[in-house]
Amino acid sequence: MRHRSLLILTTVLTTGALTLTACGSRGGGSSSSDKNTTVVIGVDAPLTGQNSATGLGIQYGVQIAVDDANAKKLVPGVTFKVKALDDKALPPTGQQNATALVADKDVLGVVGPLNSGVALTMQQVFATANLVEISPSNTNPTLTQGKDWAAGNKTRPFKTYFRTATTDAIQGGFAADYAFNGLHKKNVFVVDDKQTYGAGLATLFKQGFTKAGGKVAGEDHVNVGDKDFAALVTKIKNSGADLVYYGGQYDEAQIVTKQLKDSGAKVPLFGGDGIYSDTFISTAGKAAEGDLATSVGVPVDTLDAAKTFIQTYKDKKYPGDYGTYGGYSYDAATAIIKAVGNVVKDGKVPSDARQKIVDEVQKAQFQGIAGAVAFDQYGDTTNKQLTVYQVTNGKWKAVKSGTYNAG
């Protein structure tokens, strides 16, 4: 277990000797001009394997925020560092990472994870330690509003959990409305990957689509890691569907759409933010043309506030896709940094710093690079903006932005 330490170098000009004095404290023991306490912001995301392109976008979104804070000396007496752990999109690994981050006393906040299913295993660990967690990408409503949210019984399970991404209760209905009223599709084939995020989003899309007047031509499920979707393709073609809605990540979706188009079917695939990645297009190739995805917020490359962030990401040649959650990761890290600034004064970290930082994040209200940052009583972002993208000439192009009333 690593504790916060402070090394003070003092030169004593007596008999030519150099004296090194180590002061092992959490911010005390010297004048404020000498103090420089290290505060770590943890990151949990899939940094290798499944979903890694998006996960790396989260890691380096946080890194840029931390570098900016240090360069501008936003919190006097504090140097921020990033500790990024790879959960490989696996819930048990995420739980292990949460335990490791809690054990590191320098960690005063965590950004992540990417996947809602991973978040379910981490929330209790962070809550027990009063350690704030802000996800830039989790969209399953249960995480903030409890398992009975759909029945109108909303109860916040963990006061340490927040997110800068809006929920699937908004995203699913927004996509369904666009599919029926914007694309004028009438028969949808619904597929999901049986994971918390994918299955939940698919269900909400289906509810919204049928409520609007559409019909479900068929339903099926895939397993994460599957490569052969011949049987699924046959079902879709035989169903007479004019649209496929996919709940899940780009890893399988990009193969589904390629095999579907290769079979001769001219049916577009529509998914959530889990497929909104340049990797989806590069892997599916021409088969991706015309496919659609919803994602949180508005296109980050259209926001003046994000121009410097994007340029820095490119100049540093950071890996991963910054466009999906990079801006929301930067803003999540900034919320933690601002909270630390209100709690850690002159490098002095109070014994109840973690709890105080949770309280400060709850009160957060500022303009981030991806939009306004504030949280409601459930820890959900108050920014409900969403965008529909369509693959046009090999690139994601925004075709509609707006908000959706899930009620």
Side-chain angles (χ1 to χ4, degrees):
M1 184 181 296
R2 197 160 57 84
H3 293 270
R4 181 172 290 101
S5 62
L6 182 63
L7 183 65
I8 302 171
L9 304 182
T10 306
T11 304
V12 182
L13 298 176
T14 51
T15 58
L18 175 67
T19 302
L20 301 182
T21 304
C23 177
S25 68
R26 299 184 64 176
S30 69
S31 65
S32 61
S33 62
D34 291 332
K35 289 183 232 169
N36 198 6
T37 296
T38 296
V39 170
V40 175
I41 296 180
V43 174
D44 177 87
L47 308 179
T48 59
Q50 187 86 354
N51 315 148
S52 59
T54 313
L56 289 165
I58 292 175
Q59 176 184 351
Y60 290 104
V62 174
Q63 186 65 59
I64 294 173
V66 163
D67 289 344
D68 285 350
N70 288 335
K72 297 172 183 176
K73 301 187 185 303
L74 292 184
V75 182
V78 169
T79 296
F80 290 96
K81 291 186 179 179
V82 175
K83 183 174 187 174
L85 300 183
D86 181 9
D87 63 31
K88 300 180 174 64
L90 299 173
T93 305
Q95 187 174 43
Q96 293 168 9
N97 290 348
T99 301
L101 290 168
V102 164
D104 186 341
K105 299 302 182 184
D106 288 349
V107 176
L108 295 186
V110 178
V111 177
L114 167 67
N115 307 88
S116 292
V118 176
L120 285 170
T121 69
M122 303 178 79
Q123 288 180 301
Q124 183 65 66
V125 179
F126 289 132
T128 300
N130 292 320
L131 182 59
V132 72
E133 171 190 15
I134 309 179
S135 173
S137 54
N138 293 162
T139 53
N140 189 281
T142 304
L143 295 167
T144 47
Q145 300 173 20
K147 57 185 174 64
D148 295 325
W149 70 269
N153 300 321
K154 298 180 180 181
T155 303
R156 185 176 185 178
F158 302 102
K159 292 188 176 180
T160 51
Y161 178 88
F162 301 82
R163 52 178 152 203
T164 49
T166 195
T167 74
D168 291 334
I170 308 294
Q171 184 175 198
F174 185 71
D177 177 72
Y178 185 77
F180 188 80
N181 295 308
L183 298 175
H184 305 295
K185 301 298 183 183
K186 305 301 179 187
N187 295 288
V188 65
F189 195 101
V190 181
V191 183
D192 71 70
D193 63 2
K194 297 187 280 190
Q195 301 299 301
T196 301
Y197 161 74
L201 182 58
T203 296
L204 289 162
F205 174 89
K206 181 174 64 175
Q207 290 173 352
F209 191 73
T210 54
K211 184 178 180 180
K215 294 182 179 179
V216 176
E219 297 181 64
D220 206 352
H221 313 278
V222 300
N223 295 309
V224 172
D226 281 356
K227 305 291 185 186
D228 183 357
F229 299 106
L232 174 62
V233 166
T234 299
K235 288 181 182 179
I236 294 171
K237 290 176 72 174
N238 290 341
S239 73
D242 54 9
L243 178 71
V244 174
Y245 188 81
Y246 185 86
Q249 305 290 341
Y250 60 80
D251 302 78
E252 290 74 39
Q254 62 202 12
I255 304 174
V256 170
T257 198
K258 190 173 191 311
Q259 292 182 10
L260 182 63
K261 308 296 176 46
D262 286 349
S263 75
K266 296 181 179 180
V267 182
L269 183 143
F270 197 171
D273 51 322
I275 78 166
Y276 176 60
S277 168
D278 289 341
T279 305
F280 174 86
I281 300 174
S282 61
T283 301
K286 292 181 179 179
E289 196 71 15
D291 286 349
L292 305 105
T294 50
S295 191
V296 295
V298 296
V300 69
D301 55 8
T302 67
L303 300 171
D304 287 341
K307 286 182 177 178
T308 301
F309 165 79
I310 294 171
Q311 193 59 52
T312 300
Y313 203 107
K314 292 178 177 178
D315 289 346
K316 295 278 189 179
K317 294 182 170 56
Y318 285 142
D321 296 334
Y322 69 80
T324 313
Y325 304 117
Y328 279 119
S329 300
Y330 183 101
D331 288 346
T334 300
I336 294 171
I337 289 165
K338 286 178 176 292
V340 170
N342 290 332
V343 173
V344 179
K345 302 296 184 182
D346 295 324
K348 295 179 181 178
V349 182
S351 59
D352 59 347
R354 286 179 169 177
Q355 179 60 60
K356 286 183 175 179
I357 288 168
V358 171
D359 296 339
E360 290 297 325
V361 168
Q362 182 65 65
K363 295 184 288 186
Q365 193 167 4
F366 63 94
Q367 191 64 34
I369 66 168
V373 178
F375 305 101
D376 65 15
Q377 69 268 37
Y378 303 106
D380 283 327
T381 178
T382 57
N383 180 3
K384 310 297 185 185
Q385 196 82 9
L386 286 157
T387 300
V388 178
Y389 298 86
Q390 187 165 31
V391 181
T392 306
N393 297 322
K395 293 184 180 295
W396 288 111
K397 179 183 178 182
V399 292
K400 180 185 179 182
S401 291
T403 57
Y404 178 79
N405 183 359

